[in-house]
Amino acid sequence: MKPPFSVLSSKTYRALALTGICILMALVFIADTITNYAIAAAVFHTPLLLIAIRFLSARQVITLASFSMVLTVVSVLLTRAGDYEVGLINTGISLVAIAITTYLGLKLKSVQAAAHETREHLLRLSRLTTLGQLSTSIAHEVSQPLAAINSSTGACQRWLQASPPNIEKAQAAAQRIADDAQRAKDVLDRVRSITRNEAPTSSAFDLNLALTELLKLSDGEMRRQHIDLRLALQSDLPQVFADRVQIQQVMANLLLNAIEALSPASDFHAARITIETRLLPGDKPQTSKVLFSIKDNGPGLSDTQLPQLFDTFWTTKATGLGLGLTISRSIIDANNGHIWATDQADGGAAFHFTLPLAP
């Protein structure tokens, strides 16, 4: 127990408190002795024992309780006033009260100690779990640009090995490699800032332009899977105020999910992704938001899947980690936005998020 006065050491404080309790017990003994047998003053030993249990060890408390019992018995032998039989009954009640109070007090202290140890154990487990989740998050977020770098590297080599070499397309592939490498670096920088509890690096930017840059990186994959991309971007969209790299990471996660939802291609209809941006007017200018929506015409989401989509490590993919949407929600929340998913009436899934306008 921490001493109430910082100038006293814990050992000194316990010694002073023990001395004080012994003095009070002596006073209880005197009161119990000079009064008649009908007054069970010895029961006042019990609150003193409850105080002692807070800062003494179990062995010291048991010793103190035994001392209280001895004082109670000696007191009844020394008392000269009142009915002796009544005195014996009150003494018996006092002894039982002292014993029960000591037992229950020590039991409660033992339970509190166990609860404290359990909390410490859970805290250590939480730290280990957080470290594991952070490592998994880094692996998940960096895997996308690394996979894109690998794909662009192969394309660049093929264009250079062609006869004659296609220099223009090889240069385009090299530029994609450079862009993806920069994106991986930016992701690592953002993860590093999160571990330091730094706030997002918010700034005003054009959401449509950030999306267009991202789509250039995913254009090859969508063409390879014959996905029909439809854009419905509001031309005069106001700028948003958020961390540009983080928001691009969210859009990349949602776009990748949409592409994977459309793979393999269906024999019944063409794969299609629709991306929309528009202004959501609020009651006041400062409450207006910019809405980003991405919709696919894949298998969609069931009523049981929707409530769990953003849960950590929950995924509908056989090889998924269940982190992409969790990270996306954390990013959008940190940037004062809101993200959610809906199931489309005509089939497919839709994901939406809002962001605040730039001041």
Side-chain angles (χ1 to χ4, degrees):
M1 181 178 181
K2 186 178 180 181
F5 306 104
S6 57
V7 295
L8 298 179
S9 67
S10 178
K11 186 176 180 181
T12 303
Y13 172 74
R14 283 198 297 270
L16 290 175
L18 181 59
T19 303
I21 288 176
C22 288
I23 293 173
L24 291 174
M25 283 185 171
L27 293 176
V28 171
F29 167 74
I30 295 171
D32 193 31
T33 303
I34 64 176
T35 56
N36 63 47
Y37 289 120
I39 300 175
V43 294
F44 288 103
H45 285 297
T46 55
L48 299 176
L49 289 170
L50 288 175
I51 295 173
I53 287 170
R54 297 183 59 188
F55 58 87
L56 295 182
S57 67
R59 177 177 295 179
Q60 290 172 323
V61 171
I62 292 173
T63 302
L64 207 58
S66 303
F67 181 61
S68 300
M69 290 181 173
V70 170
L71 290 178
T72 302
V73 173
V74 172
S75 176
V76 74
L77 295 176
L78 297 178
T79 300
R80 293 290 180 264
D83 188 336
Y84 183 69
E85 292 184 356
V86 173
L88 289 179
I89 293 173
N90 285 340
T91 300
I93 293 173
S94 298
L95 293 175
V96 171
I98 291 171
I100 292 177
T101 300
T102 304
Y103 172 77
L104 293 179
L106 292 176
K107 195 72 176 176
L108 178 62
K109 189 174 183 178
S110 174
V111 171
Q112 289 175 336
H116 177 73
E117 185 178 351
T118 302
R119 282 197 298 272
E120 291 293 322
H121 182 63
L122 288 175
L123 183 60
R124 289 194 295 272
L125 284 178
S126 175
R127 287 170 179 166
L128 290 174
T129 303
T130 301
L131 181 60
Q133 289 177 345
L134 180 61
S135 303
T136 309
S137 300
I138 294 173
H140 178 272
E141 294 303 291
V142 177
S143 64
Q144 295 175 22
L146 290 181
I149 289 172
N150 184 53
S151 176
S152 298
T153 302
C156 184
Q157 288 175 330
R158 287 194 298 275
W159 294 124
L160 291 175
Q161 290 170 356
S163 181
N166 191 325
I167 301 300
E168 182 179 352
K169 291 189 175 182
Q171 287 177 333
Q175 183 59 48
R176 290 198 299 273
I177 293 172
D179 292 342
D180 281 321
Q182 181 61 43
R183 190 154 65 97
K185 178 182 179 301
D186 292 341
V187 169
L188 289 176
D189 288 343
R190 290 298 185 270
V191 171
R192 193 181 298 118
S193 68
I194 290 172
T195 60
R196 294 198 295 258
N197 293 324
E198 293 180 355
T201 309
S202 299
S203 62
F205 67 91
D206 186 333
L207 187 65
N208 286 344
L209 182 59
L211 172 65
T212 304
E213 293 175 0
L214 177 69
L215 291 175
K216 289 179 182 177
L217 302 176
S218 307
D219 181 60
E221 181 65 18
M222 284 190 283
R223 280 194 286 109
R224 190 179 67 82
Q225 299 206 33
H226 307 289
I227 294 175
D228 177 20
L229 176 65
R230 300 182 181 181
L231 299 178
L233 310 182
Q234 184 173 324
S235 58
D236 56 347
L237 193 68
Q239 288 189 324
V240 297
F241 190 72
D243 189 307
R244 194 174 193 275
V245 174
Q246 289 186 354
I247 299 306
Q248 280 190 315
Q249 191 62 33
V250 173
M251 291 191 292
N253 279 335
L254 298 181
L255 181 60
L256 180 63
N257 284 347
I259 293 173
E260 291 179 348
L262 297 171
S263 178
S266 170
D267 295 332
F268 302 101
H269 61 265
R272 185 179 67 249
I273 292 177
T274 303
I275 299 178
E276 175 190 11
T277 60
R278 61 186 171 90
L279 177 66
L280 290 179
D283 298 334
K284 301 176 182 177
Q286 59 269 31
T287 61
S288 297
K289 303 277 186 180
V290 167
L291 172 70
F292 174 92
S293 296
I294 179 168
K295 306 170 185 177
D296 65 70
N297 62 341
L301 301 166
S302 68
D303 292 339
T304 57
Q305 291 174 331
L306 276 171
Q308 305 177 77
L309 277 177
F310 296 94
D311 291 350
T312 306
F313 299 127
W314 190 91
T315 179
T316 58
K317 305 171 190 174
T319 57
L321 295 175
L323 284 173
L325 290 177
T326 303
I327 294 171
S328 297
R329 183 176 60 180
S330 300
I331 290 175
I332 295 298
D333 289 346
N335 285 277
N336 300 315
H338 177 59
I339 188 171
W340 71 99
T342 57
D343 193 33
Q344 300 199 86
D346 56 347
F351 288 83
H352 323 268
F353 67 77
T354 59
L355 289 174
L357 299 183

